[in-house]
Amino acid sequence: MDVFNFLGRTREAKLKLEQHRQRLYRIAYSWTHNAALADDLVQETLAKALKKSDQLRDPNAGDAWLYSILANCYHDHFRRLRSAEEIDENTLTHESTPEKESSEQEIVLKVRAAIARLAEGQRQVVTLVDIQGLSYMEVAQILNVPIGTVMSRLCRARYALKDLLGELAPKLAAEETKIRRIK
C-alpha cells in the first residue's frame, strides 16, 4: 500500500506532510542560504517522495527517508550546476578579436607596401635592423658597407616610411606602446 497516498487522505496526514515540509525547508535553507533554492529542493524532495513512496518499507523511518532524498536532491542540484560553473569559471575570451586582427593585418599590409616602395639599400637596412633586430655592425658586415652608411640609409628609410605611412603613425605608436608594456 502507498503510505503517502494513505496518509494523504486524512487531515492528520496533511498536517504531518506540512511539518515535514517545514523541517525540510529549514534544513535546505541552512544548507543553501537561499530561500528560493531551498523551496525548490523541498518541492523536488516531496515530489520524489510521493512518486517513490512505495519504496518506503518502514513508515516509522519516513523522516530519515525524506532527509536522505533531500540530501540527494541537494547534491544533484550542485552536480548539475558544477558542470555549468566550470565553464563559467574558465574565461574563454581572448584579447584578439576579429576586428583587432583585421586592423592589425591591414597595418601590416600597408607597412609592407611602404617598405616595398623604398630604395633597395634602404629596404635592406630597414628589414635587417627594424624587422630582424640586427645591430648596425652586423648589418654593415652583411651588406659589406660602412656602419655610417647603414645609419644614414636607416635614417632616410625611416623618414620615408613616416611620410608613406602618415595616418598610421598614431596607430603604430599606440601598438608599439602596448607591446613595450607587455614585454
Side-chain angles (χ1 to χ4, degrees), residues 96-105:
S96 180
T97 62
E99 293 84 9
K100 184 178 177 182
E101 286 182 20
S102 174
S103 175
E104 289 172 355
Q105 187 64 28

Side-chain angles (χ1 to χ4, degrees), residues 18-138:
E18 187 57 36
Q19 288 173 347
H20 285 297
R21 181 170 176 60
Q22 290 173 356
R23 285 187 201 144
L24 290 168
Y25 177 81
R26 283 193 299 265
I27 291 170
Y29 185 79
S30 71
W31 290 348
T32 63
H33 300 289
N34 181 331
L37 179 57
D39 195 43
D40 288 347
L41 290 173
V42 170
Q43 187 172 7
E44 186 179 350
T45 299
L46 291 175
K48 285 183 178 183
L50 289 171
K51 187 176 181 182
K52 307 277 183 167
S53 61
D54 57 328
Q55 293 179 357
L56 179 63
R57 294 195 175 108
D58 183 9
N60 295 328
D63 291 350
W65 184 64
L66 284 172
Y67 298 141
S68 67
I69 294 173
L70 176 64
N72 289 336
C73 290
Y74 174 79
H75 292 299
D76 289 345
H77 171 76
F78 284 102
R79 215 175 281 129
R80 284 189 304 266
L81 189 63
R82 185 177 354 170
S83 62
E85 285 179 2
E86 289 173 2
I87 292 172
D88 292 341
E89 287 174 10
N90 296 330
T91 304
L92 300 176
T93 59
H94 195 274
E95 290 185 22
S96 180
T97 62
E99 293 84 9
K100 184 178 177 182
E101 286 182 20
S102 174
S103 175
E104 289 172 355
Q105 187 64 28
E106 183 180 325
I107 291 170
V108 167
L109 292 174
K110 286 181 179 180
V111 169
R112 284 182 181 164
I115 290 173
R117 292 178 60 189
L118 295 174
E120 182 181 352
Q122 292 175 355
R123 190 171 52 245
Q124 290 173 330
V125 172
V126 166
T127 56
L128 292 172
V129 173
D130 290 338
I131 297 175
Q132 296 300 317
L134 299 176
S135 70
Y136 293 174
M137 184 62 77
E138 292 171 319

